[in-house]
Structures are given as C-alpha cells and as structure tokens.
C-alpha cells in the first residue's frame, strides 16, 4: 500500500511526500500564515490535477485566481511564481490547470458549484452567504476534510501556444532616470521612471 | 552570539531560522527546482531589507521583477502570492520593497550596478555579457557567496496608499456561459467567457 492509499491521505508534494490533512495544514500555516479554506481545499485539488494528468509528465501550471490557490500549487509542485512555471490568469474562477509544458495538453480542475449542495458550510463560505464572523468555522473545516477531492470536476484542455514559451527578460540597460538596470525592451527608460511608480523616496 | 552573527550566516526565514549559504541553496532547490543566481542573491537581499526595516514591523512586500526574486520573498517571509502580502510590480528592475502594512513606510533594496565592478562574474551573468553556456558558474557562485549583501543599496521609501488595502474578490455569481462561480464585479459573465481564454477544451 503506497502512502496515498492511506485513509488519512490528503495530498503530496513534488517529491512524493504524502501529507495528512493536519500535516498539510502545518505546511500551509508555515508558508501562508494561516490555514485559509481556499488553500486547504487546494491540496486535494492539486492532487486530483496531478493524478489526472498522469505520472511522469513535466508540467507547468496556471491558476485562475490570485487568492490562496496559487500557494497550493507552489507548496505541492515545483511550479512557482519566481521560476515562471506557475502563471496567474486572474478570471477569479476557482480553478487551476496543470499541463504538459511541451505539448500544452493538460487537465483543468475547477470547483463544481453543484457539488456544494452536500457541503452547506463550504457553500456559505465560498458564496459569502454570511459575513465571515457569523460563519461556522468548525463546520467549514469539517466539511472541507470530509469532501477532499469531491468538490471538483476535471476537464482535459489544451492551453494556448504562448503558454509553452518562457518569459524572457532580454537585454539589460541602465536607466538614465534612476541609474538602475532594467529590460531595454521597455523603452528609453524603466517603467518606474516612465510613471509606473508605486512608491516615493 | 545569535545565529545571524555567525561567519557562515546567509539569511533567515520568518521564524528566525538562520541558514548558511548551503542550507539556503537546499531550500531553493526544493522550492524553485534549481539554485538560480537571482534567487541565491535574493537571500541576503531579503535579509538586508528586513534588518533595515527593523524588528517587529508587520510588513507586506513588493517585487519589481517576476524572475526568481519573488521566491526569495516567499521562502524567507510570510508574504506570498496566494495571501496577497507579496505583489509584483514588474518594471524588471532587480529590487524589492518591504513596507509597514499600516503606514506604507518601507525599505527598498536594489542591485547597485556600481557594486558589480568588484564581482565580474556576477556582472557578466546579470548583464548577459556572454551566452549562458560560456559563463563561469564556479566563479559566479563563488562571487555571489563572497558578496552577500554587498551588491545592494537601500533606500527609505513610502509606498502608494493603494498598496495598503487588500485585494478583495467581492460578491460571487454563477457565469451564464460556463456555469462556474466568478467575481460579479467582472461583468455579466466571467473573463474567460468574455474572451480571455488561455485554453480550449
């Protein structure tokens, strides 16, 4: 019996290390600060996507929301923001796709709203049917744990060709405005000096 | 003597765990897949930013590049893509800012090109003066290790007020196109069904 056939199996990481619900919750706390419901259900969601894609596929990932879910991908796969193997296409849908980085053939896993009928506390949280402080956290986490992969549907998809090429920085120049290196493809000065400043000194 | 006064101290994480260069390299391999130079120098860079900001400040983070550096922030602080405490403002400059999430007062740390004169292999890598396969990796990693925090300059900054508020998803509706939940603020259907599709089924 392999680790992921155990009754208390929740998900595993890119090295094949299996986690129980509690072990994954600890991993989440350490990386994300708190066990956000969206990140807790992200565990079995990534697991479902990876097992549906099949063993041995070298994959990249797309998350369709910026909230919580990208961290499940970063914790459980080698796809990260910094290595560019994880991208966010923020339609705000609770979905992710893992796809073969050579062919673009992949599996999209998304939250299926019809499945939420059996999980009323998850439904209340997800659709914000009550203010957060009136929600029953104990019932919510209990249902998340009970549901596991049952909240999701999977579809075979093919991602667009531009997702098969890596983002390249290209040539580097020194900005005449700030004196710092920047990608010369951005123009005669860096985007900060062109007006996209998020701070002042 | 605290951990970060040791000769072989490289950086530490949000729990105060100190890492040597080799230990941090292992952490990087496990999360990012390989010890990218930009992520290796990101360790002392985050360390410098945090120590300059001072102890006890509850901070958020901005990275000015999508390449490598965001993973240093995610590995060494509690700011992540999924919890929204890390944002990317992609000007392509090798810089990051940690700032007080209440006041916006922060420290920006950036690679100082003038410092690279003492580190020719780092300069060659950063400015792409030679094709990657002609670069001397041994010299590069040796110089990275020798340089530590010496590659960077720090500036006190104040981030714009919109960086002090959290991104909110708002109300959730069911898209009439795909039948999936989406943020109703996006319009009458989800962005995917409005044409921003990255895949086909």
């Amino acid at each position: 019996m392999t680790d992921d056939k155990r009754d208390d199996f929740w998900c595993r990481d890119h090295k094949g290390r299996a986690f129980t619900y509690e072990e994954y919750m600890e991993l989440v706390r350490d990386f994300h600060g708190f066990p956000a419901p969206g990140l807790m259900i992200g565990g079995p969601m990534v697991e479902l996507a990876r097992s549906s894609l099949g063993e041995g596929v070298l994959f990249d990932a797309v998350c369709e929301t910026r909230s919580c879910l990208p961290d499940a991908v970063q914790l459980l796969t080698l796809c990260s923001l910094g290595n560019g193997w994880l991208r966010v296409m923020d339609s705000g849908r609770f979905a992710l796709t893992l796809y073969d980085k050579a062919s673009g053939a992949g599996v999209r896993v998304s939250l299926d709203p019809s499945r939420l009928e059996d999980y009323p506390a998850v439904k209340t949280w997800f659709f914000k049917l009550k203010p957060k402080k009136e929600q029953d956290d104990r019932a919510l986490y209990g249902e998340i744990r009970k549901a596991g992969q049952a909240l999701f549907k999977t579809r075979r998809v093919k991602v667009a060709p531009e997702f098969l090429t890596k983002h390249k920085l290209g040539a580097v120049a020194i900005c005449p405005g700030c004196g710092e290196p920047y990608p010369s493809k951005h123009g005669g000065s860096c985007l900060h000096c062109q007006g996209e400043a998020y701070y002042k000194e």
Side-chain angles (χ1 to χ4, degrees), chain A:
Chain A
M1 192 163 82
T2 56
D3 266 3
D4 51 336
K5 296 287 183 249
R6 291 183 332 201
D7 280 350
D8 59 353
F9 171 73
W10 188 249
C11 57
R12 69 198 148 129
D13 70 8
H14 67 91
K15 286 189 167 171
R17 285 177 289 217
F19 300 101
T20 63
Y21 176 89
E22 285 83 5
E23 287 164 349
Y24 176 66
M25 190 180 262
E26 270 312 298
L27 199 67
V28 163
R29 273 189 216 278
D30 196 36
F31 186 75
H32 188 86
F34 54 99
L39 186 42
M40 289 308 296
I41 67 177
M45 202 174 169
V46 170
E47 187 59 35
L48 177 58
R50 183 163 37 200
S51 60
S52 303
L53 192 61
E55 290 296 323
V57 178
L58 200 62
F59 62 81
D60 278 1
V62 176
C63 256
E64 297 186 29
T65 173
R66 274 186 286 168
S67 295
C68 301
L69 196 51
D71 284 357
V73 175
Q74 296 190 108
L75 282 170
L76 300 175
T77 78
L78 263 184
C79 304
S80 76
L81 174 60
N83 66 23
W85 303 338
L86 165 65
R87 305 189 206 201
V88 174
M89 285 293 288
D90 192 10
S91 68
R93 297 191 301 180
F94 202 84
L96 59 84
T97 296
L98 303 185
Y99 63 95
D100 183 315
K101 63 202 299 169
S103 71
V107 173
R108 179 175 182 269
V109 179
S110 60
L111 188 132
D112 182 347
S114 71
R115 312 280 180 97
L116 296 185
E117 296 311 319
D118 293 334
Y119 304 97
V122 178
K123 183 177 178 180
T124 299
W125 158 72
F126 189 80
F127 284 100
K128 300 173 182 167
L129 303 178
K130 285 182 188 171
K132 197 163 261 180
K133 59 186 174 189
E134 288 173 28
Q135 292 180 22
D136 182 344
D137 271 0
R138 196 185 167 91
L140 172 59
Y141 285 96
E143 288 182 11
I144 285 174
R145 188 171 188 160
K146 188 172 150 218
Q149 300 184 4
L151 300 173
F152 308 105
K153 62 180 178 187
T154 62
R155 290 285 180 281
R156 294 261 153 203
V157 296
K158 183 111 180 175
V159 304
E162 60 264 35
F163 285 80
L164 304 182
T165 53
K166 196 165 156 54
H167 159 79
K168 290 268 179 197
L169 277 174
V172 181
I174 296 285
C175 175
C178 61
E180 292 191 21
Y182 77 106
S184 50
K185 68 181 176 190
H186 287 177
S189 63
C190 80
L191 294 178
H192 175 85
C193 291
Q194 287 179 44
E196 291 185 20
Y198 68 91
Y199 65 86
K200 54 186 179 183
E201 288 187 24

